[in-house]
Structures are given as C-alpha cells and as structure tokens.
Amino acid sequence: MSRRAGRPPLLLPVLLPVLLPLGACNSIGAISGAVVGTATGAGTTNPVVGYAAGIGTQAAVDSLVKYVTRTRQRNEQDQIAQTVGRLQPGQTAPWKIEHTIPFGNEHGDVTVLGMIDNTLAPCKEVAFTVVDGDKPDAPRGTFVTTACAQGDTWKWAQAEPATDRWGTLQ
C-alpha cells in the first residue's frame, strides 16, 4: 500500500473517539499534539513539519477544551443566577443544570442572603450548594457569590472565567 509523499496520515478521525474521554484531562492537548506531530513527521519524513503540526494541534485542542469548559461553567452560573433573580432575601430554592452532553449535570440549593443596593444594578449576595448529579452520594460544596440584575435577567457578578464582561482578561 503506497502513500503519496508529503501527505500526513489521517489518524485524527481514528484517534478522536479514543481521545474524547480524556476531555477532563489537562494533557489532552499535549497527547493530541504528540500523536499528530509524530504521524505527520513520519508521513512527511520532515520532523520540522511534524513539530509544527503537533504544536498547532496542541494549541487548537487546548483552546477547544478551554472554550467548552467556559461555556459549561457559564451555563451553570446562569442557571444559579436565574434562580437568584426569583428569590427575596431569606428565601431558598433548588437549582439544576442539564448540559447538552449529559456529563457534569449538577444541582443544589441557592439561598439569598441579602440585597446589595448600588447605583449600577441591584445585586444579591447568595450562598449555594453544588452536588454532582453524576454522583448522588457526593458531598455538597457550599459557596458564596454575588449575582446582579442585567436588564431583565440576572447574571453572575464575580470574576469567574465564564463571566463575559472580563473579555480577553480571562
């Protein structure tokens, strides 16, 4: 079986199903880059091309993982903030997130501790719990944060990676 010179083997579609479960792993970008770089270098018999392909692949996969993580975290924060918007100080209500990919569906309770009046927007100080929906017996984590009104909706106010207003500072 001959291969055209200069054309790298197409291993990524074959390896993608194997690499996807490693999505939570911090090294998926490095692993993907190493595989693509090695295959490209071997296919082209040029280690510089393989190195460049590997570095490019690692950067792309790392960027994709960060984007997906931020999007999922933003969705969780928005769900908590939406629940906060319906509550008055002292009230408690459950919150729940169901992601498109059914992994990391968390839930818990949110309690409004108090109002923070300021000239920019009304804000509420809240305490919320998080239970991993995939592990019902998992311990609850309890956190405190602030949510503020943004027009008719409520948004997460803390400097978290999924908070849009921080833009390129993330």
Side-chain angles (χ1 to χ4, degrees):
M1 192 183 221
S2 67
R3 197 178 345 167
R4 278 195 305 180
R7 185 172 182 175
L10 299 174
L11 291 178
L12 194 56
V14 174
L15 292 175
L16 193 58
V18 175
L19 294 175
L20 277 177
L22 299 175
C25 182
N26 289 333
S27 60
I28 187 171
I31 292 169
S32 301
V35 170
V36 169
T38 301
T40 303
T44 63
T45 65
N46 187 337
V48 174
V49 172
Y51 181 75
I55 293 296
T57 300
Q58 179 177 354
V61 170
D62 285 346
S63 180
L64 177 64
V65 168
K66 287 178 184 177
Y67 170 77
V68 169
T69 301
R70 275 194 319 269
T71 301
R72 290 174 68 89
Q73 187 175 7
R74 181 182 305 116
N75 292 340
E76 289 175 16
Q77 291 171 349
D78 286 348
Q79 187 63 41
I80 293 169
Q82 182 180 16
T83 304
V84 167
R86 296 188 305 259
L87 300 176
Q88 295 301 317
Q91 291 183 318
T92 300
W95 70 272
K96 183 178 182 178
I97 185 73
E98 291 185 11
H99 296 288
T100 306
I101 299 171
F103 171 75
N105 290 334
E106 298 170 333
H107 65 278
D109 296 313
V110 62
T111 302
V112 176
L113 302 174
M115 293 291 295
I116 303 171
D117 291 322
N118 63 55
T119 57
L120 297 175
C123 297
K124 296 178 183 178
E125 182 116 36
V126 300
F128 65 97
T129 60
V130 178
V131 179
D132 186 345
D134 299 331
K135 302 172 191 158
D137 295 335
R140 288 179 179 253
T142 303
F143 306 92
V144 176
T145 192
T146 305
C148 296
Q150 185 178 30
D152 292 336
T153 62
W154 283 76
K155 297 295 277 182
W156 201 262
Q158 299 296 317
E160 295 288 330
T163 305
D164 290 330
R165 67 188 167 109
W166 296 103
T168 59
L169 296 176
Q170 297 184 49

